[in-house]
């Protein structure tokens, strides 16, 4: 199964993969129904989760029901337990980049959210836009979600500046990225253009860097106030395992 999933990820264009997944999801959820692992987003349990990864496959990480990965479940837990994202009585303007299927309908149906999605290619995007040149006014959004996007962007400084520009003063932006916390400094090399070489070095064929611990300080240099949220340290090891989270993953919670 691991080799099949790897082949699918690396050969089917992402917009088409999103459409096909709507057909596959209920079949996978039924076939893997059990009680060992639980997706906290929808509360459904399974005997195992699915493998995932463009290069090295990670076992037991992709939820059969919501198609959430570790980072999605971690974000959902944080938003639900540590913020008023779902409970605020004041309607929040939310901008969601490259909207994930795990969240799309859930956020769209949330009555307290004025929810807009954006991306250049996703079929789930309301607004087709370049993150480095956004068609939105200054200080417009209460919440920005931009998860595992910046590692794809050659000029991530410009993208961060645009995210800061459209966030309201006092607003919150969650800017998750794949991060190697053993690295002090982010690594990039613009001369690496071959997709196979990029996959080997950066972990995925369309990534252009590997972020290190300096990512948080780069966000601060843009103007963000950054909280390095280690949410897996706030819950029990048993729940980390049950929800199939990546222990020690840091959520960059940014404020303007």
């Amino acid at each position: 199964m691991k080799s099949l999933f790897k082949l699918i990820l690396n050969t089917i264009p992402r917009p088409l993969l999103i459409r096909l997944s709507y057909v596959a999801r209920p079949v996978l959820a039924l076939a893997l129904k059990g009680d060992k692992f639980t997706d906290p987003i929808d509360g459904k349990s399974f005997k195992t989760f699915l493998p995932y990864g463009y290069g090295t496959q990670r076992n037991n990480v992709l939820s059969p029901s919501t198609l959430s990965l570790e980072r999605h479940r971690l974000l959902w837990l944080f938003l639900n337990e540590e913020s008023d994202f779902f409970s605020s009585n004041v309607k929040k303007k939310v901008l969601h980049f490259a909207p994930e299927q795990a969240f799309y309908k859930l956020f769209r149906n949330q009555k307290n959210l004025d929810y807009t999605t954006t991306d250049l290619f996703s079929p789930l995007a309301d607004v087709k836009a370049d993150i480095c040149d956004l068609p939105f006014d200054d200080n417009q959004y209460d919440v920005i979600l931009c998860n595992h996007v910046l590692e794809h962007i050659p000029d991530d400084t410009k993208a961060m500046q645009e995210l800061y520009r459209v966030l309201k003063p006092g607003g919150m932006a969650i800017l998750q990225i794949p991060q190697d916390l053993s690295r002090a400094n982010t690594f990039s090399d613009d001369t690496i253009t071959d997709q196979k070489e990029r996959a080997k070095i950066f972990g995925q064929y369309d990534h252009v860097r590997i972020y290190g611990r300096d990512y948080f300080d780069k966000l601060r240099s843009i103007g963000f106030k950054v909280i390095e949220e280690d949410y897996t340290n706030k819950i029990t090891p048993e729940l980390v395992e049950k929800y199939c989270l990546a222990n020690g993953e840091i959520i960059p919670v940014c404020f303007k």
Side-chain angles (χ1 to χ4, degrees):
M1 183 179 288
K2 289 173 66 175
S3 59
L4 175 61
F5 270 74
K6 184 175 180 179
L7 178 65
I8 290 171
L9 288 172
N10 283 285
T11 56
I12 299 178
R14 191 168 294 140
L16 178 57
L17 197 59
I18 290 172
R19 297 183 188 279
L20 292 175
S21 65
Y22 280 100
V23 178
R25 189 165 54 180
V27 177
L28 292 170
L30 181 61
L32 296 175
K33 189 175 181 180
D35 59 8
K36 187 172 183 180
F37 302 105
T38 299
D39 185 338
I41 297 174
D42 65 1
K44 293 182 180 179
S45 296
F46 305 95
K47 58 187 176 184
T48 186
F49 281 8
L50 295 160
Y52 189 86
Y54 283 79
T56 302
Q57 292 265 296
R58 308 189 304 281
N59 289 320
N60 201 41
V61 295
L62 181 67
S63 166
S65 57
T66 67
L67 299 183
S68 65
L69 292 166
E70 309 100 303
R71 64 180 181 265
H72 305 129
R73 296 187 289 276
L74 184 67
L75 174 58
W76 187 90
L77 288 166
F78 173 79
L79 290 174
N80 193 53
E81 302 295 334
E82 301 289 324
S83 80
D84 66 348
F85 185 81
F86 294 111
S87 60
S88 174
N89 293 323
V90 178
K91 201 160 194 174
K92 293 180 180 291
K93 288 196 69 174
V94 177
L95 182 63
H96 191 175
F97 287 82
E100 302 93 339
Q101 290 179 73
F103 297 136
Y104 180 72
K105 286 187 177 179
L106 176 68
F107 292 173
R108 179 72 75 200
N109 294 331
Q110 193 69 25
K111 299 299 184 184
N112 68 320
L113 303 181
D114 179 0
Y115 180 64
T116 300
T117 60
T118 185
D119 190 73
L120 270 178
F121 306 110
S122 173
L124 303 182
D126 299 318
V127 179
K128 303 294 184 183
D130 181 350
I131 193 172
C132 294
D133 186 20
L134 294 172
F136 307 117
D137 293 337
D138 295 356
N139 307 317
Q140 189 170 353
Y141 290 97
D142 299 291
V143 179
I144 293 176
L145 303 174
C146 180
N147 303 320
H148 284 234
V149 171
L150 292 171
E151 69 276 10
H152 298 266
I153 309 301
D155 190 353
D156 65 337
T157 299
K158 179 59 176 173
M160 291 175 186
Q161 290 170 340
E162 281 290 270
L163 293 170
Y164 185 82
R165 178 182 68 80
V166 302
L167 186 66
K168 286 182 181 179
M172 176 179 71
I174 297 184
L175 311 177
Q176 289 172 292
I177 39 85
Q179 186 175 25
D180 182 355
L181 291 171
S182 69
R183 291 176 178 265
N185 299 310
T186 295
F187 170 73
S188 63
D189 185 341
D190 294 339
T191 67
I192 302 171
T193 57
D194 180 74
Q195 289 190 350
K196 289 184 178 179
E197 192 69 9
R198 278 186 175 178
K200 180 180 176 182
I201 294 174
F202 298 125
Q204 194 165 307
Y205 70 90
D206 53 356
H207 287 187
V208 298
R209 67 182 60 82
I210 303 172
Y211 284 107
R213 295 191 304 275
D214 60 343
Y215 174 66
F216 308 114
D217 285 334
K218 180 163 186 176
L219 291 171
R220 292 182 179 107
S221 74
I222 300 297
F224 289 109
K225 300 173 184 177
V226 182
I227 296 174
E228 301 171 31
E229 178 66 55
D230 182 4
Y231 188 73
T232 61
N233 196 40
K234 293 185 175 182
I235 61 178
T236 65
E238 290 77 17
L239 283 179
V240 171
E241 181 178 0
K242 187 174 183 64
Y243 295 151
C244 298
L245 305 176
N247 197 28
E249 180 179 350
I250 305 300
I251 306 173
V253 185
C254 307
F255 297 92
K256 182 174 178 178

